[in-house]
Amino acid sequence: MAKPPALPPVAQPVDPEWAGALRRRLRVPSERWAKLLCVSLGPMVGLALFYYMGAYPELGKAIGPSVGAALGAAIMASYWLSVRAARVRGNAILVSEEHWPELHALVQESQARLGLHGLKAYVVQDLVLEQAGMRLGGDDCLLLRASMVDAALSRGDLDVLRFHIGRKCGQIAFGHYRWSSNTLAGFGRLIYPLYAWYRRCQERSADRAGLWVSGHRQLAHHGLAVLAAGVQIGGHLTPAAARTQLRATNHSLWVRLVGWHTERIFYPQRIVNLDDAAKELGVGD
């Protein structure tokens, strides 16, 4: 796909066609396939399970209590997460021109880089199970960890937050918190390795968005390294070191098995993926 034209100034409206082309380029192609499989195969497995429970009463009696308990636990977990998210948002501090004008300008610039506008950002103490962004009451918003913002402001280096904010904006731009991508695709948990793959694809897409918003490969690497190892240690991580580590650990059978069944990509692999994406997208040093 041809590279999208240069981004217009933040003050000007973004062309929807330009934004759509950019998001298609940034999104990992396998994410769409993984979502399609989760949305189609997940409900089919669920319906098949209920069918066999009705067709074979003995089977239904055997697994019925377990299924009921699982559904009850899922409902309670959903309720608790909603309550916790509302509590976090209620305690959050809005990023505005009055509160942290430099951070507000960075948020505005970052969302404009992905063709977004009108997103509100909040500084919070708790990220609600590490969710980078969220959708509450029909509104998309960004949640910024207070410790990261404080460290960046203390060092006078807000640029380290570009990758962090950019990947959050990417999650919203790609619709990762919408009903079809979140709730409906959640049926894929019935085939958990498939669902885990879908979640890893989402993470790769978000990292590519963070890279694009950063505008520089080294800046994006630094931002990801800070997430992996903290502000002080993260500055010493390099893509070359990550590749060396992967060559040493990929021979472990357990590392591979866990990697196939986890929703999060291991940090060394994310660093390598980011380096490869920078070459693909033409993001220089």
Side-chain angles (χ1 to χ4, degrees), residues 59-171:
L59 178 62
K61 291 179 181 179
I63 67 174
S66 299
V67 173
L71 289 175
I75 292 173
M76 289 301 297
S78 177
Y79 169 77
W80 173 244
L81 285 177
S82 297
V83 170
R84 192 177 176 196
R87 184 182 301 144
V88 169
R89 178 118 180 232
N91 285 319
I93 305 299
L94 176 66
V95 175
S96 65
E97 292 182 288
E98 291 75 23
H99 293 146
W100 310 294
E102 299 88 352
L103 182 58
H104 177 262
L106 179 59
V107 170
Q108 297 302 311
E109 178 185 343
S110 297
Q111 60 180 298
R113 289 273 295 170
L114 293 174
L116 299 172
H117 61 87
L119 294 181
K120 294 181 179 180
Y122 297 86
V123 175
V124 298
Q125 295 290 339
D126 185 359
L127 280 188
V128 190
L129 298 183
E130 298 303 316
Q131 295 286 3
M134 61 181 296
R135 186 174 179 86
L136 186 63
D139 296 327
D140 290 319
C141 61
L142 309 177
L143 301 182
L144 308 179
R145 189 194 298 271
S147 58
M148 291 193 66
V149 173
D150 183 63
L153 290 174
S154 298
R155 292 164 56 93
D157 182 19
L158 280 179
D159 277 344
V160 74
L161 295 176
R162 286 186 183 273
F163 176 80
H164 190 52
I165 296 174
R167 72 183 314 276
K168 296 171 184 292
C169 292
Q171 289 179 311

Side-chain angles (χ1 to χ4, degrees), residues 27-42 185 188 193-195 197-199 201-202 205:
R27 190 197 299 266
V28 174
S30 55
E31 181 188 329
R32 293 186 180 275
W33 287 105
K35 177 181 178 180
L36 178 62
L37 291 174
C38 284
V39 169
S40 58
L41 296 183
L194 171 62
Y195 180 76
W197 174 47
Y198 172 52
R199 294 284 291 168
C201 290
Q202 287 185 321
S205 296

Side-chain angles (χ1 to χ4, degrees), residues 183-240:
T183 305
L184 184 58
F187 281 101
R189 287 186 175 93
L190 295 172
I191 317 172
Y192 190 73
L194 171 62
Y195 180 76
W197 174 47
Y198 172 52
R199 294 284 291 168
R200 294 196 301 272
C201 290
Q202 287 185 321
E203 187 167 56
R204 287 182 60 193
S205 296
D207 282 349
R208 287 163 65 92
L211 169 67
W212 179 262
V213 169
S214 296
H216 299 279
R217 183 184 310 188
Q218 294 300 325
L219 186 58
H221 276 304
H222 184 51
L224 180 56
V226 166
L227 290 177
V231 175
Q232 299 297 330
I233 303 176
H236 299 282
L237 299 179
T238 64

